[in-house]
Amino acid sequence: MNKITLLIHCDDQPNIIASVTNFMAENDGNIVYIDQHVDREQNIFFMRLECEFESDTFSVEHFKEAFRNTLVDRFKLKWRIYAADRKPQMALFVSKYDHCLYDILGRYNSGELFLDIPFILSNHKDLKPIADSFNIPFYHIPVTKDTKPEAEKKQLDLLESYDIDFIVLARYMQIVSSRLIDRYPNKIINIHHSFLPAFIGAKPYHSAYKRGVKIIGATSHYITEELDAGPIIEQDVTRVSHTHSIKDLIAKGRDLEKIVLSNAIKLHADRKVMVYNNKTVIFS
Amino acid sequence: MNKITLLIHCDDQPNIIASVTNFMAENDGNIVYIDQHVDREQNIFFMRLECEFESDTFSVEHFKEAFRNTLVDRFKLKWRIYAADRKPQMALFVSKYDHCLYDILGRYNSGELFLDIPFILSNHKDLKPIADSFNIPFYHIPVTKDTKPEAEKKQLDLLESYDIDFIVLARYMQIVSSRLIDRYPNKIINIHHSFLPAFIGAKPYHSAYKRGVKIIGATSHYITEELDAGPIIEQDVTRVSHTHSIKDLIAKGRDLEKIVLSNAIKLHADRKVMVYNNKTVIFS
Amino acid sequence: MNKITLLIHCDDQPNIIASVTNFMAENDGNIVYIDQHVDREQNIFFMRLECEFESDTFSVEHFKEAFRNTLVDRFKLKWRIYAADRKPQMALFVSKYDHCLYDILGRYNSGELFLDIPFILSNHKDLKPIADSFNIPFYHIPVTKDTKPEAEKKQLDLLESYDIDFIVLARYMQIVSSRLIDRYPNKIINIHHSFLPAFIGAKPYHSAYKRGVKIIGATSHYITEELDAGPIIEQDVTRVSHTHSIKDLIAKGRDLEKIVLSNAIKLHADRKVMVYNNKTVIFS
Amino acid sequence: MNKITLLIHCDDQPNIIASVTNFMAENDGNIVYIDQHVDREQNIFFMRLECEFESDTFSVEHFKEAFRNTLVDRFKLKWRIYAADRKPQMALFVSKYDHCLYDILGRYNSGELFLDIPFILSNHKDLKPIADSFNIPFYHIPVTKDTKPEAEKKQLDLLESYDIDFIVLARYMQIVSSRLIDRYPNKIINIHHSFLPAFIGAKPYHSAYKRGVKIIGATSHYITEELDAGPIIEQDVTRVSHTHSIKDLIAKGRDLEKIVLSNAIKLHADRKVMVYNNKTVIFS
């Protein structure tokens, strides 16, 4: 059984749903999932569709070709088609904090995530023993002001050599430069330890404490040039009170960060996220 | 512009989505919303679809006829089609508690609910002044053990005379008999003041207090023969602690009850709820 | 039975708890509630205490005098003592939105709030019928750029004449000037329709929509000179998604605003809030 | 600096707070935390207090003796006093699920938990590699119907030999018998994968799916003779919908289980939990 996942967006226009579903039927496909969204302010149409093909001779490449010829030009579609059985390859960047790393690797080990983690990369050696205990290759690429361009060159080489699809910054404490961002647009997932857009930048728990908020949060988003301003994938919050010190906020925040980041990873790996206008459409 | 909302369910089977979307296209309809769900355990397919028709000569009745002839038999569909501009008629049953009533009428007044409330009915006179201040007819039908059959007869007459589509029990403190339930299947919405299936029956806040739970809830569901066991539409919860007395639980619970009930009313009035196997599919 | 509520704060120092509890015992008081908090960063001690006195000859004024002489100078206390049976007098300022008003008046009517509402004030006449239906005096004081000083003079006169303890801005769409703030410091409660400090200022739901957040919130805080920057009393949030339009955010936000504001009112009226350094301590 | 934590409960009666705080002052103690609760229905008084003593000659044993002689009889106190620097010794029982184990050990490693874990015990060998990678002794004690009494004898010997204070069942899939419960009353913490009292017993996620609830939960409680009916320490919930399969519920539930269990462990280890009448008082 062959299965594909299709993601499209385009200007909203009549007959787009019928035309796509028709195309699937004409190619002997059976649609097993369809969801759509229209942004009425911007007049943009989004669709996610899963379709099964029983034929022995089905080929994703031929199908893409037919889809392109039949529909792409006609509706001026932006589109992506994935073979549903191909696991995305995810690179994991960490520094010294281990809570998100443990959470991701625990889920990975128990089969919860549909993806491969070919390697873990860090600017410090501290977390190498954890990578070792999970039998995942660990690369130590230190980053200083002077060596940053060279370090990024090494990172890009690694990412290419492992054919990486997306990158997760699991509390990686370095600013990622435009070289990486341009190469992996909307494919670098970060976890920021605040409820964005509140408390952008460094030490958000300290700022939250100072402001006296009654709820703190964590936000997973795609990295863009502007700091902490990329498209938001997932957020969650928890209650705090005057009884919580900064240390308490940090501890409670760790629980949020790991759950929010893991949820964002799952959504991305399952091809449920579409990005436009610096926002996300998240299909169920 | 004519617009219809279509809800269908049937055994899951190939080509169902393409066939329905095709049918819309062939009838010059433009699909503006489609969502679908498949229950893989039971192999049941569900779909909700909104479609616009520009033609001056469009008639919902003709469309229903064509739909029936073309698709219903072929796929053995259970189906409902609504003219999107027809507001459902909702009857409101209350007793003595006023918090849900105020919340519903406040929303109704500010245009938040797509429905009409032709009348309010109660077994007590206490809330008549509220109905008066919102200019809604109020019927007082007392219910005692002896008069119950007669009272229900009066209720049914009222419901028929106002052409009521669904009933909301806004803390109506009477058991509704099978006569009403059979007449309005999955069309009587209740609010139960616990997180079902915990604390079925009377005095759930007392039971929650006694059990020492750390979270209390409220549940809106369709009434069925079995007490508090009907299909759940919406639930919500809030944290409590040992510092809360039963009186505190009741006060905190009121806030849950009114929000949960109003959300359930909106979902039902917007035709976003499908019921099967004593469960609900809630479309977004 | 006489009962007082005591709130104190001072530099943290040894023996403060024992000294205060001792003082109560020596004055034949029985402590029925005590809670304390120490801000370890600022080294400030906070305490809230409820104490009952059986004596027929007990007088709050005499008790205050004794407390002042015995403890206030010794520990350099900031302190407030309330007779527990005296209901605070609350003024309600509104403009055109009615959801918070309905929610507050519904609770007020059902006895949920320990306070009196001597009057409702508005810069528009729209909500007068609601005030009338709850039998509460309604004052219409229009505010234009030119008449603002005069309007505030009228407001202050009204507040004084009714011996008002605190003011609630239930979506009152006017900036309150320093004249009022200075007269009622930490006694003017506002509801802001965002999760502060995100989306300060006008049209926060529009900003939230534009930023693509996955959670929206509401914040109740005391008004200070700086816009939306006063001490936060209460916050709450709810999930949203790409499917929600700005109109949907506004509707969901209304539910948050009314619950958050009513909770803040209850906390303030029950003398459970202490303010320092632009933050709040909220006792349970 | 010596520091003790005191927990007491007794019939509510006048002067109890003043007497205890006085006693601390007379013994040159400085109270740094005090919180109290009165159950008005049962008329029971609870207090938690932390007190520091600067004296070089302070001894917890002498202090306990003095406390017993001065206050315990007079007020008929139930009481516990802990030296605040003594870490509780926690035994960890697991079977085959690893998510709670990873979460606890991750926190333990990063210093988040104030306790020691002298050993991990399991009825299966599957999780031994995880124990090894964290350098914690692992004991494999298989349990079959026939060997259960013998296995429990071994468990008790182990618990005694390590001087264990409390036991955590981190998805330990065996019923614990009364022999263990009697030896560790209110000291065996379990995580149940439902929002108790809903879905007691086996396969709660299957039951939740069947009932069609819109929110699922997890509950941490002390084990008592009656299944899943012990005092609740902590609960949390998350939203689900018709789109979630049983497998999805299990995956979402894992996130709840690990957070709820770890929170309960922290509360217990920090001596913030008091039990009475099969309920808990949780101090902040």
Side-chain angles (χ1 to χ4, degrees), chain C residues 72-246:
Chain C
V72 170
D73 281 355
R74 184 174 155 209
F75 290 102
K76 300 205 176 359
L77 298 181
K78 311 271 188 215
W79 62 292
R80 289 179 286 155
I81 288 176
Y82 302 97
D85 57 358
R86 189 192 172 275
K87 286 190 180 177
Q89 306 297 300
M90 172 179 123
L92 202 41
F93 284 28
V94 296
S95 288
K96 293 186 170 184
Y97 291 116
D98 61 8
H99 54 288
C100 287
L101 180 62
Y102 269 127
D103 196 67
I104 293 166
L105 296 183
R107 290 167 199 273
Y108 183 50
N109 243 24
S110 57
E112 200 180 306
L113 304 175
F114 182 75
L115 50 80
D116 291 321
I117 303 179
F119 69 89
I120 296 169
L121 180 155
S122 181
N123 53 335
H124 296 283
K125 285 185 182 166
D126 305 54
L127 303 185
K128 185 173 187 309
I130 301 178
D132 290 349
S133 76
F134 283 85
N135 292 315
I136 298 177
F138 180 91
Y139 294 95
H140 175 222
I141 302 183
V143 179
T144 64
K145 213 188 263 183
D146 293 341
T147 64
K148 189 150 186 176
E150 187 192 346
E152 286 193 337
K153 175 76 176 59
K154 279 189 202 163
Q155 290 174 357
L156 278 168
D157 288 348
L158 258 180
L159 293 164
E160 304 260 332
S161 74
Y162 278 103
D163 202 14
I164 289 301
D165 292 301
F166 73 106
I167 302 165
V168 168
L169 311 181
R171 300 299 312 272
Y172 178 66
M173 307 301 279
Q174 293 285 325
I175 303 284
V176 170
S177 78
S178 55
R179 206 159 23 148
L180 230 72
I181 298 172
D182 291 346
R183 176 65 190 80
Y184 293 92
N186 296 324
K187 289 177 177 173
I188 309 178
I189 299 175
N190 187 40
I191 179 73
H192 184 71
H193 39 316
S194 86
F195 184 81
L196 289 177
F199 310 126
I200 284 168
K203 295 198 176 274
Y205 293 126
H206 290 71
S207 305
Y209 178 83
K210 187 155 183 297
R211 181 63 186 92
V213 292
K214 300 304 181 187
I215 291 175
I216 57 168
T219 305
S220 189
H221 63 101
Y222 292 113
I223 291 282
T224 55
E225 289 286 328
E226 192 182 342
L227 183 66
D228 297 332
I232 294 171
I233 307 167
E234 172 74 326
Q235 303 189 286
D236 205 358
V237 296
T238 194
R239 289 204 167 268
V240 296
S241 78
H242 64 275
T243 63
H244 293 98
S245 65
I246 291 175

